[in-house]
Amino acid sequence: MQYLILVLSFLFSLGAYAQQSSFKSWQKEAKKDIRMLPEYGNTEKTKSEIAADTRFVNSILENGKSNSEGAHEMIHIGFDYLYKGDLKTAMYRFNQAYLLNPKNSGIYWGYGSVYMALGAYDEARNEYTHGLKLDPESAPILTDYATTYLGEYYDNVRSNYKSAQRSLKMAKEKLLASYAIDSEYIHTTYKLSIAYLNSQDCANAKKYLKATRALGGQPITKEYLSDFNLQCGDCSDVKTGSFQIESRQNGVTKIVRSQGYQIEENEALGYKLKLKVDWLDECTYTLTPVANLANPAQKDIPKMVLTCQILEVNEGHYIQVSSSDDNDRPLTSQIEIVQ
């Protein structure tokens, strides 16, 4: 199974070593800048720092916002910086939210997310725990708490299998608790699918992937669908049959696929090709042109080999990504099932 850190979120875009190295650098720099620590490190501030805090709070109130509204705005801005990868400014904004309303659980969600991005899972869990004390019914915080265990799973799965499995078990427990709070929080259903796929539990991986699609499917990546299909995919219903692709540019391309060959015809473009089909696995196949049926006398047929991977099969259509050996730029298509 591929390394699915990117599946979870940008928070896992760094490798484990890079994250640990970044966290050490963060800790070193934070000794000189208390704004990089949650709640400013609970250290005694200087008179100038206290004065700066007072000016900031007053500026929010003078703009007609309440402490609660100002804190909410700072949290929102903090997450914007977090998603851009600017962790330091994100922490600054979460701390400003703390100045305005320390009882807002979103502040600790933000603190935890910064530590999560640094690979500091224990520190992240401490902050998430604080947030859950303020809001025990927060599915987003509980789901991100669970994600710390998914992070540990991926960090250890190649080097310490038993430890990785313990982390995976904890991730599922926390995700199921979050799902019990809010079954329509899409990041919970998606991560449950990921967790169960890593547990080789295809039934539940499919269940929660289906739930994620029903909620809109936004977090689902092609990489995850590829791994899902390799392990749990069932493309038997579309290995043979009649299909078609419609586009404004090319019109309708009709496809008839048998066990070993595929006929493609597009009347608007004036071509009809016979292609050899070779299945590489349950949901991946290659197409090699073997004959020009529109002009049998023409021997100059394309020599490319097209590799197609079916990402998902739905009622009435399937999604596939394809690339050729002479152009590896992937093309994603929705193919209608005719019969």
Side-chain angles (χ1 to χ4, degrees):
M1 186 172 183
Q2 295 178 8
Y3 192 64
L4 288 177
I5 294 299
L6 288 175
V7 169
L8 300 177
S9 72
F10 87 100
L11 297 176
F12 294 145
S13 61
L14 298 173
Y17 176 79
Q19 288 176 324
Q20 292 166 6
S21 176
S22 296
F23 182 52
K24 289 180 180 178
S25 299
W26 180 278
Q27 288 176 304
K28 184 177 180 180
E29 190 173 351
K31 290 179 180 179
K32 300 178 181 179
D33 184 356
I34 62 172
R35 296 176 300 167
M36 295 172 63
L37 297 171
E39 301 179 19
Y40 298 97
N42 289 309
T43 58
E44 186 175 350
K45 292 186 176 182
T46 65
K47 290 183 178 180
S48 62
E49 288 171 338
I50 294 172
D53 290 346
T54 301
R55 287 195 299 271
F56 166 73
V57 172
N58 288 339
S59 70
I60 296 295
L61 300 178
E62 288 168 2
N63 283 328
K65 293 185 176 69
S66 66
N67 287 65
S68 179
E69 291 169 337
H72 181 77
E73 181 179 354
M74 288 300 107
I75 292 168
H76 180 79
I77 294 172
F79 274 106
D80 281 345
Y81 278 107
L82 183 69
Y83 296 140
K84 293 174 184 176
D86 187 345
L87 306 185
K88 187 184 295 186
T89 304
M91 184 65 90
Y92 291 170
R93 298 299 168 261
F94 295 138
N95 269 328
Q96 287 179 322
Y98 172 77
L99 291 175
L100 290 160
N101 181 16
K103 298 299 183 182
N104 189 316
S105 64
I107 296 166
Y108 298 93
W109 185 21
Y111 289 156
S113 297
V114 170
Y115 280 136
M116 183 78 161
L118 292 166
Y121 301 127
D122 287 336
E123 288 77 5
R125 282 192 284 267
N126 287 338
E127 299 304 326
Y128 291 144
T129 297
H130 197 150
L132 289 168
K133 287 180 180 178
L134 294 171
D135 184 4
E137 298 295 301
S138 174
I141 296 178
L142 189 52
T143 290
D144 279 5
Y145 189 107
T147 305
T148 65
Y149 290 112
L150 281 177
E152 288 180 339
Y153 168 79
Y154 285 115
D155 284 352
N156 294 321
V157 68
R158 291 183 175 89
S159 59
N160 190 333
Y161 181 79
K162 288 185 178 180
S163 177
Q165 291 305 308
R166 286 194 296 270
S167 296
L168 186 58
K169 181 181 178 182
M170 289 297 298
K172 286 187 289 186
E173 288 178 1
K174 296 297 182 183
L175 287 169
L176 287 171
S178 180
Y179 184 77
I181 293 170
D182 184 357
S183 61
E184 295 186 354
Y185 185 53
I186 194 170
H187 296 288
T188 304
T189 58
Y190 183 41
K191 290 175 183 179
L192 273 168
S193 182
I194 292 170
Y196 278 112
L197 185 66
N198 280 289
S199 301
Q200 288 79 51
D201 184 342
C202 287
N204 276 311
K206 289 178 181 178
K207 171 185 174 180
Y208 290 108
L209 181 60
K210 182 178 180 180
T212 305
R213 287 186 178 128
L215 292 169
Q218 292 88 345
I220 302 172
T221 67
K222 293 177 183 177
E223 291 81 6
Y224 178 64
L225 289 175
S226 175
D227 283 331
F228 178 87
N229 280 327
L230 284 174
Q231 189 167 327
C232 301
D234 181 6
C235 297
S236 57
D237 289 344
V238 295
K239 285 189 172 182
T240 60
S242 298
F243 316 94
Q244 67 180 32
I245 305 173
E246 294 187 36
S247 71
R248 292 181 180 179
Q249 183 177 2
N250 299 325
V252 177
T253 300
K254 297 180 180 179
I255 300 169
V256 178
R257 186 182 304 135
S258 62
Q259 197 66 36
Y261 292 94
Q262 176 167 305
I263 307 298
E264 292 189 10
E265 182 177 13
N266 187 304
E267 294 181 357
L269 298 179
Y271 81 80
K272 186 176 183 180
L273 283 177
K274 181 178 182 180
L275 306 102
K276 186 175 183 295
V277 179
D278 291 296
W279 287 92
L280 305 180
D281 58 43
E282 176 63 22
C283 295
T284 307
Y285 62 98
T286 61
L287 293 172
T288 306
V290 294
N292 182 348
L293 301 181
N295 185 2
Q298 183 179 350
K299 296 183 179 181
D300 185 19
I301 59 174
K303 298 184 182 302
M304 67 177 183
V305 176
L306 196 67
T307 300
C308 306
Q309 184 178 43
I310 299 171
L311 299 179
E312 56 181 295
V313 179
N314 300 298
E315 185 175 352
H317 72 274
Y318 65 90
I319 306 294
Q320 79 173 23
V321 60
S322 56
S323 61
S324 66
D325 56 350
D326 62 354
N327 182 1
D328 59 2
R329 184 177 180 180
L331 174 66
T332 302
S333 305
Q334 177 172 305
I335 301 175
E336 305 301 320
I337 301 171
V338 178
Q339 65 179 43

